[in-house]
Amino acid sequence: MLKKLNNIGDSGVVCDFGDDVNRTINEEVIKLFHYFQKQISLGKMEGILNCTPSYNKLIINFDLKKINSKKIFQIINSIDFLKLDLNQDQKKWTIPICYDFEMDLTNMSKVLKIDKSEIIKIHSETIFFIYMVGFVPGHPFMGDLDPKIFLNRLKTPRVKVPAGSVGIVEKFCNIYPYQSPGGWNIIGRTPIKLFDNKNETNPCLLSPGDIVKFKPISKKEFNKLNNE
């Protein structure tokens, strides 16, 4: 549950749910995030500029000319969290992945002492929960991986990781929406576009609280989807 509320400067509030990183706490963050998003869409939350969820915090930015932190504190303290429903805003996605585009499976297999095929099987059978979206636009951080394939970050991050690359670190899995630097263990690649800046209403494909499952595809299928 919500631990405390604090100001961030004169036009921001942080809703603090603690320091632990787990799905139970993250679901509470996302419930509050969805609540504010819905109130904003209904025109009932004038002055709220942006809500940004993380693993265990929610930051709310606002327009001081229209609302202040005291009012936001009052709104949050009046919410009955037990009545907030995560499922009504949750979407379920099946994301194609081609494991032939892996960059680290050989090393992963060596470190974990597990066959590549078993790593792929564990990954593709995992049902992921999106904790947050960030780092770059549309970039999802998804948990929770089976402890059998927990790995640390690469000792030396790559300067360029191809767009669509799917990586894992510790309990989390991510997808790189753009070519960018990164230190995650790359297990495959998806042809799906995660961020569309031409879509002004909802440019991000995935949202915090969504469910993702990966579907293995061949290189031929990857290339076909990538060219569509």
Side-chain angles (χ1 to χ4, degrees), residues 51 68 81 84 128 202:
C51 294
N68 55 46
F81 279 79
L84 298 183
F128 292 98
N202 189 21

Side-chain angles (χ1 to χ4, degrees), residues 11-15 33 36-37 40 45-53 58-63 67 72 133:
S11 58
V13 168
V14 58
C15 308
F33 167 70
F36 268 88
Q37 292 292 93
I40 292 169
M45 204 75 77
E46 188 178 5
I48 303 298
L49 301 176
N50 193 41
C51 294
T52 308
L58 177 70
I59 293 177
I60 301 169
N61 298 106
F62 56 90
D63 184 347
I67 196 170
I72 293 175
V133 175

Side-chain angles (χ1 to χ4, degrees), residues 41-101:
S41 68
L42 294 173
K44 296 181 179 181
M45 204 75 77
E46 188 178 5
I48 303 298
L49 301 176
N50 193 41
C51 294
T52 308
S54 68
Y55 292 137
N56 45 35
K57 311 282 190 294
L58 177 70
I59 293 177
I60 301 169
N61 298 106
F62 56 90
D63 184 347
L64 264 176
K65 296 178 181 178
K66 298 179 180 179
I67 196 170
N68 55 46
S69 59
K70 182 179 179 181
K71 177 61 176 176
I72 293 175
F73 284 7
Q74 290 173 347
I75 292 170
I76 295 172
N77 287 325
S78 70
I79 297 172
D80 184 351
F81 279 79
L82 295 176
K83 292 183 179 180
L84 298 183
D85 184 8
L86 176 64
N87 293 327
Q88 66 181 1
D89 299 298
Q90 187 179 71
K91 294 180 181 178
K92 296 182 179 180
W93 303 90
T94 298
I95 303 291
I97 179 174
C98 180
Y99 292 103
D100 292 332
F101 289 101

Side-chain angles (χ1 to χ4, degrees), residues 6-224:
N6 290 312
N7 290 312
I8 298 181
D10 58 0
S11 58
V13 168
V14 58
C15 308
D16 191 339
F17 289 79
D19 296 324
D20 292 337
V21 177
N22 59 59
R23 179 165 172 173
T24 299
I25 287 178
N26 187 249
E27 285 183 350
E28 295 301 307
V29 175
I30 294 172
K31 284 179 186 178
L32 185 58
F33 167 70
H34 283 163
Y35 172 83
F36 268 88
Q37 292 292 93
K38 189 169 187 178
Q39 295 304 306
I40 292 169
S41 68
L42 294 173
K44 296 181 179 181
M45 204 75 77
E46 188 178 5
I48 303 298
L49 301 176
N50 193 41
C51 294
T52 308
S54 68
Y55 292 137
N56 45 35
K57 311 282 190 294
L58 177 70
I59 293 177
I60 301 169
N61 298 106
F62 56 90
D63 184 347
L64 264 176
K65 296 178 181 178
K66 298 179 180 179
I67 196 170
N68 55 46
S69 59
K70 182 179 179 181
K71 177 61 176 176
I72 293 175
F73 284 7
Q74 290 173 347
I75 292 170
I76 295 172
N77 287 325
S78 70
I79 297 172
D80 184 351
F81 279 79
L82 295 176
K83 292 183 179 180
L84 298 183
D85 184 8
L86 176 64
N87 293 327
Q88 66 181 1
D89 299 298
Q90 187 179 71
K91 294 180 181 178
K92 296 182 179 180
W93 303 90
T94 298
I95 303 291
I97 179 174
C98 180
Y99 292 103
D100 292 332
F101 289 101
E102 58 84 15
M103 301 168 76
D104 296 299
L105 268 179
T106 299
N107 184 61
M108 290 165 63
S109 177
K110 181 179 178 181
V111 172
L112 296 169
K113 296 180 173 56
I114 301 175
D115 289 342
K116 291 182 182 180
S117 59
E118 180 64 16
I119 295 173
I120 291 172
K121 181 175 184 294
I122 291 172
H123 182 263
S124 64
E125 290 181 352
T126 299
I127 297 174
F128 292 98
F129 180 85
I130 300 180
Y131 278 59
M132 65 179 186
V133 175
F135 176 58
V136 294
H139 188 148
F141 288 80
M142 305 171 284
D144 294 302
L145 274 171
D146 188 315
K148 290 180 181 178
I149 58 173
F150 276 22
L151 279 171
N152 294 324
R153 291 174 180 270
L154 300 177
K155 291 182 178 179
T156 303
R158 293 184 172 93
V159 175
K160 294 181 180 180
V161 177
S165 293
V166 179
I168 61 174
V169 163
E170 297 176 349
K171 67 189 288 184
F172 288 102
C173 174
N174 74 358
I175 306 173
Y176 290 79
Y178 300 99
Q179 177 178 282
S180 61
W184 291 49
N185 303 279
I186 304 304
I187 196 171
R189 195 184 305 171
T190 179
I192 299 300
K193 189 173 183 178
L194 299 187
F195 188 82
D196 182 6
N197 55 13
K198 295 179 181 179
N199 186 336
E200 296 181 1
T201 304
N202 189 21
C204 288
L205 178 68
L206 307 174
S207 298
D210 285 356
I211 296 294
V212 170
K213 192 172 189 300
F214 287 94
K215 177 185 177 182
I217 59 172
S218 65
K219 269 191 176 181
K220 182 178 180 180
E221 292 172 302
F222 177 95
N223 291 329
K224 180 181 178 181

